[in-house]
Amino acid sequence: MGYREEFRVDWSLIWKAAIALGGLSLLFGVLLAFAGDKFKVQTDPRLDELLAAVLGANCGACGYPGCEAACNAVLAGDANVDVCVAGGGNAVTSVARVMGVETRQRKRGVALVHCKGGLGESVPKARYQGTSSCAAAELVAGGGKACRYGCLGLETCRMVCPVNAILFDEDHRRWVNRDRCTGCGLCVDVCPRGLIQVVPRDQEVLAVCNSRDKGAKAKRVCSVCCVACKKCVKACDFDAIYVEANRAWINYEKCTQCGRCIETCPNDVLVRVVPSRRMERMQKGV
Amino acid sequence: MYRYFLIFIGALLVYNILLIRFIALCPLIGVSNQVETSIGMAMSVLFVMTMSSSASWVAWNYALKPLGVGEFLYIPVFILIIASLVQFTEMVIKKTSPPLYRAMGIYLPLITTNCAVLAAATESVKPGFLKLNVAYGFTFPETLVYTIGVAVGFGLVLIIFACIRERLEMSPIPHAFKGAPIAFMIAAIMSLAFMGFANLLGL
Ligand code: SF4
Ligand code: SF4
C-alpha cells in the first residue's frame, strides 16, 4: 500500500514544468523573431544560393571556419569556385553556376614512390638501427640498402603526409594510397633520395625505378630495377619512353597508356596501376 | 563588501573554472593557439556569461523556484536561455558593429555549447562549492560579481596559456609531443600552480 503511495505521479508538477518550459521558450522565440526582423542585415542574395550549393556540413575541410565563411570568401573573390572540398564535383558546378563562371575543376596529381624494391627484392648491405627516419639513415653511410637509389622504407615521408596516404609493408616498401593522396606534394621534398614525384592522376602506366647504376651492377643489388636495356624504348610506338641516366622515364604527354612496354620489360620496372572504383567515378566527373 | 571580494577571488583563483574544476577544456585547447584569438574568446565569454547568468538568475528566482520545478528543469531552461542569448547577441553585433562581428563571429556560436557558461549559470543559483554559508543561491549583485570572476578567471588562464603556446611553437619539442599532448601537460603543470591558491583567505 505504501508502495503505491510513494510512486504516485504528481500531475501538478508536470503541468507546472510544461508551463515554465513552454512559456520561456515562447518568450524567447518571440523575442528572437522580433530581433531577427529588427536587426536584419542586408546580405548578398547570392550568399543563400551559395550556401545551398555547397555541401553545408560545416566540416572545415576547405580551410574556412564553416560554410558561410567559405561562401563569403567566394563572393569576395578570395576563393575559387572549387572551395568546397567535401562537396566534390557537384558542389563545384553549382557554385560556378551561381557565380556565373566557367567550371574549373582542379587537376590533382598523385604521389608515386619510384621504387619497387622491398627487402626481398633489394638486398640489404647492413642492418640500420636507429630512429625510423630515412633522412637519418641516409646520413649513416647511406642507409642499410645496397642500392644507393632505392627506397629506405622508413618513416620520413609517412610522417609528413597530412592524410595518411603513405603506407608500408613489413618488407620495407612504400605504397601510396591513391584514393587518399591529394597530390599536395609535401612528401616530395622530404625524401632524401628524391624518389617521390607527383604524377598525373590519369596516368596508369608508370616506370617505377630510380636506379642510376649500370645494368650488371644494378642487377646485383636489386631484382626489380631498371637495367637500361632499352627494350621498352624499342617497343614503344609513340616515342614516349626514353632512357636517361641509366633509367627509363616516361613522357606522360606522349604516352597513350597502351602498355606494350610493360610486356617487354624483363625486370618488371614498368607497371600498370589498376584504378580504383572511386577514381573511375572521379574521372567520369561525378 | 568583503563578501563580494571573497566571491570574486574565489571564482577567479581558488576555484578557477579551467584549472581547478576542469570545466571548458575544449576552448582551452581549441582556441589558445594565438594570443589574439584567445583574447577574442575571453571577451565573448565574459559578455555572454554575464548576460546568461543574470537571465538565468531571473528565470530561476521568478519562474522556476516559485513553481517548484527548478530542481529538475534548470538545465534545459538554462540551455534555452544561453542559446537564445547567444543568437540575440550575434544578431545585434552583426547589425551594429560588423568589424567586431568579424572578430568575434566564429566564437559566438561556439559559446552556446561552452560548458563553462552553463556551469556559471548553475553555480550562481545553487552555489555548491564556495564555503560562504549560502543557504540557497546568491543575490543578484552577488551573481554578477561571481560570474565576472569566473569569466575573468577563464580569460586569464586562456591568455596565459596562449602566450605559453606561442612560445612552444618555436621550441624544439619531440614530434610525439607536438600539439595537444604538450598542451595538456602544460595545462596540468599550470593546474598544479593554481592549486597553490587553495585555502586562500580561508576559501
Ligand atoms: S569543404 Fe564544403 S562543406 Fe566543408 S566547410 Fe568548406 S564549404 Fe562547407
Ligand atoms: S604527402 Fe601529399 S602528395 Fe604525398 S602521399 Fe600524402 S597526400 Fe599524397
Side-chain angles (χ1 to χ4, degrees):
Chain A
M1 8 156 270
Y3 173 84
R4 279 180 188 275
E5 211 69 7
E6 252 175 67
F7 285 91
R8 211 181 48 205
V9 177
D10 186 352
W11 285 101
S12 74
L13 263 193
I14 294 183
W15 285 119
K16 280 179 189 163
I19 290 170
L21 203 53
L24 280 171
S25 313
L26 200 69
L27 180 73
F28 278 108
V30 170
L31 271 181
L32 278 184
F34 273 120
D37 221 38
K38 188 140 192 295
F39 294 105
K40 201 174 171 102
V41 183
Q42 276 302 328
T43 47
D44 196 322
R46 286 179 301 173
L47 182 65
D48 290 327
E49 288 174 51
L50 280 183
L51 279 175
V54 295
L55 187 65
N58 283 316
C59 63
C62 50
Y64 290 94
C67 298
E68 197 174 331
C71 294
N72 275 324
V74 175
L75 284 176
D78 293 339
N80 279 332
V81 289
D82 56 0
V83 261
C84 186
V85 185
N90 268 336
V92 180
T93 32
S94 334
V95 172
R97 200 177 47 237
V98 176
M99 296 302 290
V101 293
E102 293 278 293
T103 330
R104 244 192 306 151
Q105 293 271 14
R106 210 180 293 171
K107 248 203 144 103
R108 290 209 170 96
V110 67
L112 173 72
V113 184
H114 285 80
C115 178
K116 265 178 90 183
L119 283 182
E121 294 84 14
S122 173
V123 284
K125 72 168 181 218
R127 217 167 114 224
Y128 168 77
Q129 278 181 318
T131 42
S132 194
S133 143
C134 315
E138 172 78 9
L139 291 176
V140 186
K145 268 198 177 165
C147 174
R148 283 192 296 138
Y149 304 98
C151 175
L152 291 168
L154 300 171
E155 301 271 331
T156 298
C157 55
R158 204 165 88 109
M159 251 151 38
V160 297
C161 180
V163 291
N164 260 334
I166 300 182
L167 315 165
F168 70 105
D169 45 31
E170 20 352 318
D171 210 21
H172 273 200
R173 211 194 283 108
R174 297 283 145 205
W175 300 109
V176 175
N177 181 335
R178 291 166 71 100
D179 277 351
R180 283 204 180 168
C181 174
T182 59
C184 66
L186 284 177
C187 50
V188 172
D189 291 334
V190 297
C191 178
R193 300 201 146 172
L195 285 173
I196 308 180
Q197 234 180 50
V198 176
V199 299
R201 218 169 241 278
D202 46 15
Q203 177 71 27
E204 283 159 26
V205 178
L206 297 160
V208 195
C209 181
N210 191 41
S211 170
R212 264 86 152 168
D213 278 336
K214 286 230 176 63
K217 192 177 171 211
K219 197 71 203 167
R220 247 201 328 274
V221 291
C222 181
S223 62
V224 284
C225 71
C226 178
V227 292
C229 62
K230 302 204 177 163
K231 280 191 183 137
C232 51
V233 180
K234 274 174 222 128
C236 183
D237 295 336
F238 305 95
D239 228 7
I241 298 193
Y242 56 101
V243 170
E244 208 179 278
N246 289 323
R247 67 161 273 203
W249 304 78
I250 295 180
N251 183 335
Y252 300 129
E253 247 127 65
K254 288 189 187 163
C255 176
T256 57
Q257 318 221 24
C258 65
R260 285 273 295 281
C261 50
I262 297 176
E263 290 142 35
T264 58
C265 180
N267 291 326
D268 292 333
V269 167
L270 295 152
V271 294
R272 180 187 286 279
V273 179
V274 186
S276 69
R277 227 178 279 148
R278 183 166 152 235
M279 281 249 324
E280 276 170 27
R281 261 190 288 134
M282 272 166 57
Q283 274 162 12
K284 271 188 220 135
V286 193
Chain B
M1 222 41 232
Y2 186 58
R3 191 180 154 79
Y4 289 130
F5 178 68
L6 278 188
I7 291 179
F8 187 75
I9 292 295
L12 177 73
L13 295 176
V14 184
Y15 296 95
N16 185 285
I17 191 147
L18 282 174
L19 292 181
I20 302 299
R21 296 163 66 203
F22 302 119
I23 295 175
L25 290 180
C26 29
L28 179 68
I29 302 297
V31 283
S32 59
N33 293 325
Q34 293 162 9
V35 175
E36 253 163 60
T37 51
S38 67
I39 291 177
M41 184 72 179
M43 288 306 184
S44 335
V45 166
L46 176 65
F47 184 63
V48 173
M49 216 183 241
T50 317
M51 299 255 297
S52 65
S53 287
S54 323
S56 304
W57 189 90
V58 173
W60 171 270
N61 281 288
Y62 293 103
L64 297 184
K65 214 164 123 190
L67 282 174
V69 291
E71 284 305 326
F72 58 88
L73 215 60
Y74 68 94
I75 288 185
V77 167
F78 289 178
I79 296 253
L80 177 80
I81 291 175
I82 293 168
S84 317
L85 271 175
V86 170
Q87 276 287 320
F88 181 72
T89 327
E90 199 179 343
M91 282 177 200
V92 175
I93 293 183
K94 202 172 180 178
K95 176 82 179 178
T96 52
S97 162
L100 185 63
Y101 177 72
R102 240 169 288 136
M104 262 165 77
I106 42 172
Y107 302 117
L108 274 174
L110 281 179
I111 295 170
T112 321
T113 49
N114 188 335
C115 40
V117 179
L118 182 63
T122 315
E123 292 282 358
S124 49
V125 295
K126 315 164 81 177
F129 64 94
L130 279 177
K131 301 177 207 147
L132 283 171
N133 288 331
V134 201
Y136 206 60
F138 287 145
T139 61
F140 190 72
E142 280 170 356
T143 296
L144 274 186
V145 172
Y146 172 78
T147 322
I148 291 174
V150 171
V152 173
F154 175 89
L156 183 77
V157 172
L158 197 69
I159 291 166
I160 297 178
F161 199 64
C163 293
I164 297 178
R165 275 186 89 176
E166 275 195 353
R167 279 161 188 69
L168 279 185
E169 280 296 301
M170 279 166 260
S171 8
I173 300 165
H175 184 80
F177 287 148
K178 279 237 168 74
I182 191 84
F184 271 110
M185 284 185 209
I186 301 285
I189 295 170
M190 281 175 72
S191 167
L192 284 179
F194 264 69
M195 281 178 189
F197 290 121
N199 232 349
L200 180 75
L201 302 172
L203 279 167

